[in-house]
Every structure is written in structure tokens, then in C-alpha cells.
Amino acid sequence: ALDYVSIEGRKPNSFREGVLFSAAANADAFLVTLHKSEADYSPTTMYQDYAISPELFHWESQSVTTVASKTGQRYLNHRSTGSHVLLFTRPQKVSALGTGAPYLFLGEADYAEHRGERPIAITWRLRVPMPAADFATGIAVLQADALAGSEPPATASEVDPGLTVVIVGSATSSPGGDQ
């Protein structure tokens, strides 16, 4: 659908970047692994990506992206240029079966705010709130990472002081557990 592979052009391979721009669809697809292990990711790719609320998602661009770059401008001005942002997440890289974990499509997202660059920390507003169970999973990953000492750069209250984060259900996670 995003024209990533085709019979005439690009062939399927291992997709590693986590971001894909499809000119044909005028869309950026963000493929986000929430819990990143130092064994699987380099220090420059241990991005702090997490759900702030069912409607808000904190995401960091690739470490070389600046606000002034073509890519940075596409992210920040996507609505005015008619571009789309598609957000996909998964709790970890590997499933319980030992294979690549599938991504959940959370839907289209719109720019809300940003901070810094290299990477750019962007808050996206989902057009449709994520399901409560998926938000609870995202919060459990965030809490496990915080317990392991991987503190996110912004808390929900820093992004929106009036925001109350509600944890739905209960989830357990062991920091540094199997990937």
C-alpha cells in the first residue's frame, strides 16, 4: 500500500530504519518498537518513543534529523502540505514465539508540538484514540524502562500540565527481560 516493494522496483529485504516515506502515497510510516534493548539497538537509535495518553504519542525522529531539514519540515508541516503520518507500534522487537513481533497500526497522527533536534522530539495527536489495552501496554513498557533507568525526556505532565494519565488494567514487565 505504501509502494515500499514492487515487482519492477525495490525488492523485499530486512527493514531496519523504522521510518518510511512513500512519495506515491505522500505518507510517512513510523514503525516504532516501544521497548528497545541495548543488545538490539545502538546508542544513537535508543529513541524515547512512548504513549503519553490514548490520544498523544511522543516520538523521536532519526538522530540526524534537524528542524530545518527537508524531512524535519515534512514532519512538522505535514498537514499544510497534504502529507500523512501513519503510526505503527509494537511492545518489543521479538514475539514470544521468537519471531519478529507484529506492529499495530494506531492510525493517522497530526503534529502537536516539538522540542529540540538531532533527534526532533515530536508529540503526535492520534486522530482516533488508541484502544485502552494498547495504551496500558505502552504505559507498562514506559514504566519498565523507567525502572531500568531509561527515563524518558518528557513526562506526560511536562507535555500537557493538565493531562492525567490513567493506567487501565494491570501489566507486569521485567526490566531487561527477553526481547
Side-chain angles (χ1 to χ4, degrees), residues 13-90:
N13 61 5
S14 63
F15 180 74
R16 300 178 327 123
E17 289 81 19
V19 295
L20 168 67
F21 176 66
S22 169
N26 196 22
D28 279 285
F30 300 149
L31 298 127
V32 178
T33 301
L34 297 172
H35 177 72
K36 296 169 184 75
S37 160
E38 290 178 4
D40 294 323
Y41 294 87
S42 72
T44 60
T45 60
M46 292 284 289
Y47 303 116
Q48 298 293 324
D49 303 320
Y50 53 91
I52 297 167
S53 72
E55 297 85 20
L56 296 174
F57 194 88
H58 178 276
W59 176 82
E60 291 184 349
S61 71
Q62 291 181 311
S63 60
V64 297
T65 307
T66 64
V67 170
S69 69
K70 182 179 175 182
T71 300
Q73 286 296 300
R74 190 177 67 242
Y75 295 161
L76 304 182
N77 299 301
H78 74 96
R79 292 285 307 255
S80 64
T81 62
S83 180
H84 304 275
V85 172
L86 311 174
L87 183 60
F88 298 82
T89 65
R90 63 183 178 181

Side-chain angles (χ1 to χ4, degrees), residues 33 90 92-103 179:
T33 301
R90 63 183 178 181
Q92 66 275 334
K93 184 176 179 176
V94 179
S95 75
L97 300 174
T99 59
Y103 289 93
Q179 282 294 301

Side-chain angles (χ1 to χ4, degrees), residues 10 19 24 59 66 75 91 105-106 128 145 155 170:
R10 175 181 263 184
V19 295
W59 176 82
T66 64
Y75 295 161
F105 178 51
L106 293 179
V128 175
D145 287 350
T155 64
S170 65

Side-chain angles (χ1 to χ4, degrees), residues 73-178:
Q73 286 296 300
R74 190 177 67 242
Y75 295 161
L76 304 182
N77 299 301
H78 74 96
R79 292 285 307 255
S80 64
T81 62
S83 180
H84 304 275
V85 172
L86 311 174
L87 183 60
F88 298 82
T89 65
R90 63 183 178 181
Q92 66 275 334
K93 184 176 179 176
V94 179
S95 75
L97 300 174
T99 59
Y103 289 93
L104 171 68
F105 178 51
L106 293 179
E108 275 196 75
D110 295 313
Y111 169 84
E113 69 177 14
H114 75 279
R115 294 183 184 152
E117 55 184 21
R118 294 182 192 252
I120 306 170
I122 302 175
T123 299
W124 298 102
R125 181 172 301 281
L126 296 171
R127 291 190 181 173
V128 175
M130 71 180 74
D134 297 307
F135 175 61
T137 297
I139 289 297
V141 169
L142 179 63
Q143 289 173 335
D145 287 350
L147 288 172
S150 178
E151 192 70 26
T155 64
S157 62
E158 288 174 326
V159 173
D160 181 349
L163 181 68
T164 302
V165 176
V166 177
I167 300 173
V168 179
S170 65
T172 59
S173 177
S174 75
D178 293 337

